[in-house]
Amino acid sequence: MLLSTKGDYGVRAMIDLAKHEGEGPVQRAEIAKRRQIPESYLDHLLAQLRRAGFVRSVRGPGGGHLLAKPAEEICLLHLLEALEGSLAPLQCLDNHEPGAEAICGQEWVWQEIYDDMRRKLAAVSLAALAEHEREHERTAVVNYSI
Amino acid sequence: MLLSTKGDYGVRAMIDLAKHEGEGPVQRAEIAKRRQIPESYLDHLLAQLRRAGFVRSVRGPGGGHLLAKPAEEICLLHLLEALEGSLAPLQCLDNHEPGAEAICGQEWVWQEIYDDMRRKLAAVSLAALAEHEREHERTAVVNYSI
DNA sequence: GTATTCACGACCAATTCAGTCGACATTGTA
DNA sequence: TACAATGTCGACTGAATTGGTCGTGAATAC
Ligand code: FES
Ligand code: FES
C-alpha cells in the first residue's frame, strides 16, 4: 500500500474544500460527514494541511476551513507529499546509496515508474478533481433518472 | 512505501538465481552474502517463492535453490505480487466498494497510475533484469579502468 | 459571557516489519 | 552406517506505524 488513509482522507477533505471554494469556511463536522472521515482524526489532517500551507482555518462561530490558495494551483503531488511524506515506492529511491546497483539490479525499473507517477500526479490539480467529481454527479443523476 | 524489504530482497534473490541459471543450485548463504540479505530472513523469502512456484530447492550437500522455470517466463509483476500481496497503491483499488466515487473523487487518477505500473512490471522479465545487471557490470568495469 | 468552532498534545490498541532462533528433515560422501 | 552439509518450518520478538480517541485550551461572533 503506497498511501495510508491519511493521504486518502486528506485529499478527500481538500476536494471538499475545493468544491466549496468561494463560499466561505467549511466546518470540520461537515467535511467529516460528507467524506466519511472520523472527525477527531480529520482534525489532525487539517492541522497538517494548514502547516503545509494548503489550508487556512478560522475559529469561532461561522468558522471553518478554506483553501489557502486557488484550487488550480494545488496539485495532487504536492498535496500527497505533504500528507504522506515521500511517495517513493522503495526506500532506496529517496536516499540513494552508491553501489546499490551492484547488489540490487532493479532500481532502474522503479525509478521509471516513480517518475511517471509523479508526472501524472503533478498534472492533476484540485480544481480538476473537483470538476471531475461534479461531472460524475451529473452522469450519476442522469443514470438514476432513466 | 509501496514495497517492503520483502519484495526488494526477494527480487534480489531471484536476480541472483537468474544469473546462475543452468549452473546448478545456488546456496542460501551465497545469495545472502552477495545480495546483502540476512540469511535467516532470506530463508522465509525463499520458502514463499518456492510455495509460489518460482523456485525449486534441493536439500543435502551440494544443494541449494534454482529457478523453477526459465528466467524469460518470470515477470516482475507476478514475482512481486507473490512476495508482497497486492501492489495496489490504495486499498480501494483492490476491493472496490460501490458508491465510493461519491465520497472520494480521486480513484480515477490512481486507477490509471496502477494500470500503468502493472503494465510496466509485466513487461520486465527476470532475464531482462539479469542481463541489465550484467551490462551494468561491464560499464562499471570500463569506467573503473579508465 | 457564552456558545461555537478550531488547536494541540497525550494516549492507545492493533497490526506489520524485519528479523532471530531452534528443532528437524533430507541427502551426498567417507 | 555415521556424519556433514544443506534446506524446512514454526515460534517468538522488539520496534515502528497506523488509525484513531479524548481532554483541555484558545479564539471569536454574538
Ligand atoms: S535497493 Fe533499490 S531497488 Fe533494491
Ligand atoms: S476511497 Fe478510493 S481513492 Fe479514496
Side-chain angles (χ1 to χ4, degrees):
Chain A
M1 219 61 52
L2 181 61
L3 269 63
S4 60
T5 59
K6 211 167 168 175
D8 190 32
Y9 287 170
V11 172
R12 289 191 203 180
M14 290 297 281
I15 294 178
D16 207 79
L17 293 187
K19 285 180 79 176
H20 295 82
E21 208 181 8
E23 302 174 14
V26 182
Q27 281 142 33
R28 212 169 49 183
E30 282 185 65
I31 306 175
K33 189 180 165 204
R34 267 197 299 265
R35 302 295 170 162
Q36 298 196 20
I37 306 169
E39 194 180 336
S40 41
Y41 190 35
L42 177 56
D43 186 5
H44 290 340
L45 306 181
L46 287 169
Q48 209 170 330
L49 290 165
R50 189 169 354 98
R51 279 191 296 268
F54 292 112
V55 164
R56 194 161 54 84
S57 304
V58 183
R59 295 205 238 199
H65 307 269
L66 326 84
L67 296 184
K69 42 189 171 181
E72 289 83 18
E73 296 175 19
I74 301 177
C75 75
L76 208 38
L77 177 63
H78 295 341
L79 197 48
L80 282 169
E81 285 185 339
L83 286 162
E84 295 274 356
S86 163
L87 297 182
L90 285 138
Q91 201 99 22
C92 62
L93 294 186
D94 273 329
N95 41 344
H96 183 66
E97 307 177 21
E101 301 87 359
I103 59 166
C104 180
Q106 59 178 312
E107 285 195 24
W108 58 282
V109 180
W110 286 107
Q111 186 66 58
E112 202 179 315
I113 290 175
Y114 187 29
D115 291 347
D116 224 61
M117 182 184 84
R118 289 172 58 88
R119 253 192 306 274
K120 281 200 170 152
L121 290 175
V124 178
S125 75
L126 213 48
L129 283 166
E131 185 46 44
H132 202 280
E133 194 174 285
R134 270 191 275 261
E135 186 64 32
H136 179 80
E137 278 160 26
R138 272 194 291 276
T139 63
V141 167
V142 167
N143 287 341
Y144 182 76
S145 72
I146 289 175
Chain B
M1 219 61 51
L2 180 60
L3 269 64
S4 61
T5 59
K6 212 166 168 175
D8 190 32
Y9 287 171
V11 172
R12 289 191 203 180
M14 290 297 281
I15 295 178
D16 208 78
L17 293 186
K19 285 182 79 177
H20 295 81
E21 208 180 7
E23 304 174 12
V26 183
Q27 282 143 33
R28 212 170 49 181
E30 283 185 63
I31 306 175
K33 189 180 166 205
R34 267 196 299 265
R35 301 297 169 162
Q36 297 197 20
I37 307 169
E39 193 180 337
S40 42
Y41 191 35
L42 176 57
D43 186 5
H44 290 338
L45 306 181
L46 286 169
Q48 208 170 330
L49 290 166
R50 187 168 358 97
R51 280 191 295 269
F54 292 113
V55 164
R56 194 162 55 82
S57 304
V58 183
R59 295 206 239 200
H65 308 268
L66 328 83
L67 295 184
K69 42 188 171 182
E72 288 83 18
E73 295 175 19
I74 301 177
C75 74
L76 209 39
L77 177 62
H78 295 339
L79 196 51
L80 282 169
E81 285 184 339
L83 287 161
E84 295 275 354
S86 162
L87 296 183
L90 284 139
Q91 200 102 20
C92 63
L93 294 186
D94 273 328
N95 43 345
H96 183 66
E97 307 175 22
E101 301 87 358
I103 60 167
C104 180
Q106 59 178 313
E107 286 195 24
W108 59 281
V109 180
W110 286 106
Q111 186 67 57
E112 202 179 315
I113 290 174
Y114 188 28
D115 290 347
D116 224 63
M117 182 184 84
R118 289 172 59 87
R119 253 192 306 275
K120 283 200 169 149
L121 290 175
V124 178
S125 75
L126 213 48
L129 284 166
E131 185 47 42
H132 203 279
E133 196 174 283
R134 271 191 275 261
E135 186 64 33
H136 179 79
E137 277 161 26
R138 272 194 291 277
T139 62
V141 167
V142 167
N143 287 342
Y144 181 76
S145 71
I146 290 175

